[in-house]
Amino acid sequence: QPDVSPDGKSVVFAVNTMGTTTLTIADRDVDGALSNIRPVVTGEQYDQVYSPRFSPDGKQIAYSAWGRGGFRDIRIVDVKSGRSRDVTRDRSLDLQPEWTQDGKSLYFSSDRTGIFNIYRIELETGDTKLVTNVHNGAVSPTVSADGKQLVYLGYTHEGYDLYAMPIIEDRLLPAPPPPEDRGEPHGRAPGEGAAE
């Protein structure tokens, strides 16, 4: 799941090693060859990272992270310092972050209502909007360069298709709260035995 930095000089991707995926970055030369391959974030055993995306200024990376306890949330890491922070932290599955062109918000897919839809969160305030409101599923958001169109992968009884919709601010809905009725995690990572 690679992503190339806006200046074309770096590539970020996930590396799988014995069941743990690590967010990794590499320098990219003019011919596309990679060098100086190194981890950006090193998590615990069995942690998983998905869908890394560089911010428009190339200074941050947003990604979806699965960790102990069964949490799947959106995180942001500073490329230079390696410091990361949670953007979401709840019992819903939050996937596939996509930056807005101004770098102030992220679009992402979440199943917080039991159905995957596309949401947008303002990074400074945490204000979250429901962008799509489908009955079957909407994932993998991509926003046009001018910020006026959303393209996503939608699921219906006929399978998966690409959909496009205009982003009209006054039609966005306040996001419903994350679920509170999902059971508590058992606290074990995959591969750990059931016996304590």
Side-chain angles (χ1 to χ4, degrees):
Q1 300 175 325
D3 190 44
V4 178
S5 61
D7 64 7
K9 296 180 179 180
S10 300
V11 180
V12 65
F13 48 93
V15 172
N16 186 339
T17 306
M18 298 178 65
T20 301
T21 56
T22 302
L23 192 65
T24 305
I25 195 168
D27 299 335
R28 179 178 177 269
D29 68 20
V30 292
D31 297 321
L34 301 182
S35 61
N36 192 23
I37 299 171
R38 61 213 183 268
V40 184
V41 175
T42 303
E44 297 180 14
Q45 187 178 23
Y46 302 120
D47 279 359
Q48 306 292 311
V49 296
Y50 309 88
S51 310
R53 294 295 178 262
F54 277 103
S55 60
D57 62 7
K59 295 180 178 179
Q60 300 179 92
I61 298 166
Y63 62 101
S64 179
W66 181 93
R68 184 176 293 274
F71 289 92
R72 177 79 182 266
D73 295 298
I74 304 298
R75 305 193 86 201
I76 291 176
V77 61
D78 181 84
V79 173
K80 189 174 181 179
S81 70
R83 286 193 296 268
S84 60
R85 66 181 175 99
D86 290 324
V87 175
T88 63
R89 184 70 174 170
D90 53 55
R91 297 308 303 169
S92 58
L93 300 176
D94 300 330
L95 322 173
Q96 304 153 333
E98 174 76 12
W99 294 87
T100 55
Q101 286 298 313
D102 61 10
K104 295 181 178 179
S105 300
L106 286 172
Y107 287 86
F108 64 99
S109 178
S110 179
D111 74 339
R112 59 173 56 192
T113 64
I115 298 169
F116 278 102
N117 268 290
I118 308 301
Y119 295 81
R120 187 183 68 201
I121 186 168
E122 292 183 18
L123 297 176
E124 187 173 321
T125 66
D127 181 50
T128 306
K129 300 292 186 187
L130 177 64
V131 181
T132 64
N133 193 15
V134 301
H135 297 289
N136 294 308
V139 295
S140 300
T142 299
V143 183
S144 61
D146 63 7
K148 295 181 179 179
Q149 292 279 327
L150 172 72
V151 175
Y152 65 90
L153 188 63
Y155 180 76
T156 70
H157 68 284
E158 296 180 340
Y160 288 96
D161 287 298
L162 283 176
Y163 292 84
M165 62 174 274
I167 299 171
I168 302 172
E169 292 298 321
D170 60 3
R171 291 189 181 176
L172 302 183
L173 301 172
E180 296 181 0
D181 60 349
R182 295 183 184 172
E184 285 299 311
H186 56 66
R188 292 187 305 271
E192 292 183 341
E196 296 296 328

